[in-house]
Each structure stands twice: as structure tokens, then as C-alpha cells.
Amino acid sequence: DRQRLSKTMALIPRQLTPAVAEFLRLHPQPWRGVCDYDADGLTSAALWSLGHPVVFQPVNSRQHWVPSEGAAGVVALDLACPQELAGAGPTLMVDHHARPDSLPPGVLMVNPRDWEAPGSSSPLPCTALLVAELVPPPPERRWVAAVGALSDLGEAAPFELLQEQLQLHGRRQLRKISGLVNSPHRARGCPARALQALLEERTPKQFLRSSSEALKYLQDCQFRVEARLHQARRTSPQKYGPVALLEIQSDCSVQSMLAQTWKIRCPEFLVVVGNRGEDGGQGSARCQGNRDLWEPLQRLWLPVQGHPSSAGAR
């Protein structure tokens, strides 16, 4: 069946892995690394760094980042395809979001949507799982990819690496790490500290028991986010047709967690949470099942991006 095949088949077509190796060979160092600031992006960057000497910069938006000069090329992880890629030089993109109709010159993209079977309902692998196949980590570091997959896909996703690591290390332990890795961007802090912690610690137990400054920073961010989330949960959404809209004002990016909560409470609605805090406002949208919230929300002039049932907006 499809779930069993998802566990056992290679995630990336056999011919694409040597194409990536050849692309890196033709464009030697120095490379610049950029990644998304959530757990999938940060674990992807950690996995790539374990195999290649690239320093990654987490960026605050999938669609906007400033290319730097002096790099031979760019490795972009979990960032969709920003318009700024045009003219950035040779670029390798590993991603699982909706891809553009065309790519800028000099871009090689690894995206499972390119080889997804038409009409397939099987879940797509996230970026961390793709990077773990392109740049296989040491056995004791495979948990890093599992943290990214758990955060993006949930514990039931039928991928061998994720299920293997959940059995080996336990759901509770990996969930704790996922929350800590996500906490800096939710606190509008410094996600690079989460990347630092992922690279410093070899096992999940070492990560959670570390006395490092990086872990202390993540714990402080998580405490702040939890306090803001508790405060925001006192607000209830207003119903407008098929949309349940909730507006908050917080200095932490708690809208995605709040949208997830109300998605469960209002399963028949498209849940949209707007945060009128810093950065000019952000939003998060969620819906149950296989429903697609992009089209109805874009008809309401909400520029959502991300996944069909789990999206964000600025």
C-alpha cells in the first residue's frame, strides 16, 4: 500500500542525487547557506552543515532575503523560491512547498512535487528528510532529521527515518526538542541559536540536558512564547461564512499555534489568526483534512503561502 511504499522507497529519484553532486562539483566553495527559520529549515541546515562546510543564515521570510556578495553560489533550504534568486548565481534549492512555474537561470531544485505521482494522496517528505537523503548524516545524528519531520508532518507521517527515530528516542523527547528549536522564531529572537544547539549536541538526551548557553537561550524563548500563548488563548474567533477569524496583538509569533488549536475546535471552518503585533502584522491559516484553504482565502485578498491546509500570510 501507499503508506508502506512511503516508508521503504527512496524519497529522491535515483538520477537526481548524482546531478546534485555534479552541480556542487562544478561550482566549488565558497557557498552561502540560507534556510527557513522553523524546525524543518533549521534541522535541514544542520544536516547539510554536518556534511558540507557551509555556514547557514536563517531568514525571517520565505519570500524575502538579501543575497550576499563574494559567494560562488547559494544553498537554499525550505525557502520555496524567492524572487531574489534571480541573479544570485548558481543556486541549489531543496524544498517541498509549491514550486513556481519557472525557475531563474542557474537554479537546480530538488522538490518532491516534481516527481509526485498525479492524483497521489501520499504525504510529501519535508526538506529535512530530503536533505538527510542527499547528505546522509552519521547514524547518531538521524534524530535531527526526525525533529524537522515531526514538526512539519506530525508523528503519523509514514516515513522510515521518522518512525525509526520515534521508536529509538521516544515521541516526548523529540517533541520537546521540536518545541525548543521552533521557539526563537516564535519569540522573534535569533533562530541561529537553535541551529547552533543542533550542531553542538550529538544525541537528543545531550540536547535536552545540555548546560550550553544556546539551550538556555532556547528555554528562555520558549518560556516567553508559552506566556504569550496563554494570554492569546483568552480570545475567541468571529465567524464570517466559512472563515473563523481571530485577531490578536502579541510581540511573539503565536498565531500558528493558536490557529492549530482553533482548527481542532472549529473543524468545519477555515481558521485564520491575524497578529497585529510587530513587523506590520502576520497571519496563519489552518483547516482540517484535505481541504484547500488557498483559493477561498486568496478570494478574500489574503496572500497566503505555504501548504494547502497550513499556510501563513504577511
Side-chain angles (χ1 to χ4, degrees):
D1 60 26
R2 285 178 178 172
Q3 286 202 342
R4 187 179 65 81
L5 288 174
S6 295
K7 290 183 178 182
T8 57
M9 291 179 66
L11 303 181
I12 299 173
R14 184 177 300 174
Q15 68 274 17
L16 194 50
T17 301
V20 170
E22 179 66 5
F23 189 85
L24 295 173
R25 187 189 68 79
L26 291 175
H27 308 289
Q29 295 288 334
W31 282 81
R32 180 195 177 203
V34 287
C35 64
D36 196 16
Y37 60 13
D38 67 358
D40 189 26
L42 293 166
T43 55
S44 299
L47 292 163
W48 191 278
S49 297
L50 289 171
H52 297 284
V54 175
V55 177
F56 278 88
Q57 173 195 357
V59 297
N60 292 334
S61 169
R62 282 196 179 94
Q63 295 302 312
H64 300 285
W65 52 274
V66 180
S68 64
E69 297 180 359
V74 177
V75 178
L77 305 178
D78 202 37
L79 283 172
C81 188
Q83 295 178 351
E84 288 86 347
L85 279 179
T91 301
L92 173 64
M93 299 210 65
V94 186
D95 187 58
H96 62 127
H97 298 92
R99 70 190 308 283
D101 294 332
S102 61
L103 295 173
V107 174
L108 173 62
M109 175 171 273
V110 178
N111 189 317
R113 296 179 186 275
D114 287 343
W115 58 83
E116 178 186 19
S120 172
S121 61
S122 297
L124 295 175
C126 64
T127 305
L129 292 175
L130 297 170
V131 173
E133 192 161 296
L134 283 172
V135 189
E140 70 274 15
R141 295 291 192 109
R142 285 168 64 83
W143 65 271
V144 175
V147 168
L150 179 64
S151 177
D152 242 38
L153 305 175
E155 64 184 44
F159 295 103
E160 183 179 23
L161 185 151
L162 172 61
Q163 297 305 321
E164 164 203 280
Q165 295 299 305
L166 285 172
Q167 279 199 327
L168 185 62
H169 298 293
R171 288 163 171 76
R172 185 177 179 184
Q173 193 162 230
L174 295 183
R175 280 195 176 280
K176 281 185 177 180
I177 297 174
S178 173
L180 287 164
V181 170
N182 274 318
S183 64
H185 86 80
R186 289 171 175 165
R188 298 185 180 174
C190 178
R193 300 295 293 274
L195 177 55
Q196 177 187 352
L198 287 166
L199 290 170
E200 285 178 349
E201 311 301 341
R202 298 188 67 83
T203 70
K205 283 186 179 179
Q206 289 174 350
F207 186 103
L208 292 171
R209 296 176 181 178
S210 174
S211 58
S212 71
E213 287 298 316
L215 181 61
K216 184 178 183 303
Y217 178 81
L218 301 190
Q219 291 168 334
D220 290 344
C221 287
Q222 190 174 57
F223 179 81
R224 182 179 168 204
V225 169
E226 288 174 350
R228 300 301 192 275
L229 183 60
H230 177 74
Q231 183 179 21
R233 280 180 173 150
R234 298 172 184 171
T235 305
S236 297
Q238 300 294 315
K239 311 293 177 52
Y240 301 94
V243 177
L245 177 64
L246 190 151
E247 289 188 86
I248 62 171
Q249 186 161 358
S250 177
D251 60 353
C252 286
S253 297
V254 297
Q255 58 272 6
S256 61
M257 292 182 287
L258 207 55
Q260 189 69 19
T261 296
W262 283 103
K263 179 189 84 169
I264 297 169
R265 295 181 183 177
C266 304
E268 69 276 23
F269 287 91
L270 308 177
V271 177
V272 180
V273 180
N275 185 355
R276 295 180 288 105
E278 300 173 4
D279 300 334
Q282 295 181 337
S284 187
R286 297 288 187 276
C287 67
Q288 289 276 28
N290 294 322
R291 298 169 66 192
D292 188 338
L293 51 72
W294 277 36
E295 184 180 348
L297 293 184
Q298 286 176 340
R299 286 203 305 265
L300 296 174
W301 301 96
L302 288 172
V304 293
Q305 296 172 341
H307 303 282
S309 61
S310 175
R314 292 182 65 89

